[in-house]
Amino acid sequence: MTVSPPAPALPADAGEDVVDLYLKHIGSGRAVMGRVMGGMAEVRSEGPWIHADDGRRFLNFGGYGVFLMGHRHPAVVEAVHRQIDTHPLASRVFLEPVAARAARALAAHTPPGLDYVHFVNSGAEATEAALKLARAHGRTSVVTTRKGFHGKTLGALSVTANDTYRTPFLPLLPDVTQVAYDDPDDLEQALAARRDTACVVVEPVQGEGGVRIPRPGYLTRVAELCRTYGALLIVDEIQTGMGRLGTWWGVDADGVRPDIMLVGKGLSGGVVPIAAMVATAEAYGPFSRDPYLHTSTFGASPIACAAALATVETMEREHTVARAGALGARVLAGVRQVCAPYQDGLVREVRGRGLLIGIEFAEEQAVGELLLEMIARGVLVNHSLNSTRVLRLTPPAEVDDAELDFFLTTFADALGSTAARMAG
């Protein structure tokens, strides 16, 4: 892939301190975090690289799953520029052709029957839309999984299983039950008590939960239980979908067709935020019949839909999903090799599917230490919000051999330094 020349970094105003601006206008917590990270500000990007205002560049193996196609992919950027030059936002009075074409392109790759697309601005909004659609069908009980993560808006937070984020905002939605992930028996018990009144929200692989991969057939059994007990099945593919796992969707491994599927992160092409709720004709009925039942001023904006359409078309043309699967196998093998000397000690387990990889440590402290060591050496990685002992990797599919070697060498050096410091 040819990357367009990067735009020059915009110089900061003389004497301007970004950390101080955060402290005064965005929040003290974020300002402190920024200072711990070195006080740098990111000012431009291309491919798998982010550039900071001090002239350093960082290989981005983080980004919370957004940048499967890297930063500023030329085809997506060109489509967005073209839309800006013609019609970036819509009146919401007439039909919007870019949204219609983007919906058609996305539906061409969803599981059979998931043909109706409701575009929103973020993954959390997709969760909210799904919960409302479920309620329109009388499914007022919600079953979610422990360590599941589905967003932090009020409804999405109700099905996100982390008390750190939930407790300050109680009470949340009523009648929400948490069951163990990868435990069909626990799910069946919950559904049996809520026959014909429940919806189930589940991830094919728990991302923020620490890259927890269920046993083969788990989603198949979840779908069977939903049919048996009259529950709507909502599968959250916000992080796992759009090729991240080396398949278009996480449900592909089990051949499952949910009633509703949530899409986000990678749909943006790493350029303009956009997400979607996709549903079968039967499930989507209430929203289809009344287009004003659930709306958003900026949802399905032409500029965002132009990015989504270009993303899907580019992924088709460049075989991004297959590349993610092949590269993911190499990254996983390399990480396991680096971690081998620390297995059963500092490192508990390395697991992954495609380009979603987690390294679980024996101690939570190791994640923070290693993250800082990696940053100091020029690589960005992520922690996991619902599993604080797991370091998470979500690299782009376009990483070349030299960049992969750089990552593995950097990871080996950073892990060695972290292990030595924690042992001392």
Side-chain angles (χ1 to χ4, degrees), residues 6 40 52 54 70 76 99 112 127 151 173 176 192 211 224 239 276 296 362 373 393 417:
M40 293 170 289
D54 65 355
V76 182
T127 303
L173 291 182
V176 176
V211 192
E224 291 171 349
Q239 184 165 175
S296 164
E373 288 280 356
L393 310 176
S417 295

Side-chain angles (χ1 to χ4, degrees), residues 48-68:
W49 298 95
I50 289 178
H51 297 257
D53 57 354
D54 65 355
R56 297 177 62 194
R57 71 172 188 167
F58 298 84
L59 184 65
N60 189 8
F61 268 49
Y64 297 98
V66 171
F67 301 102
L68 185 68

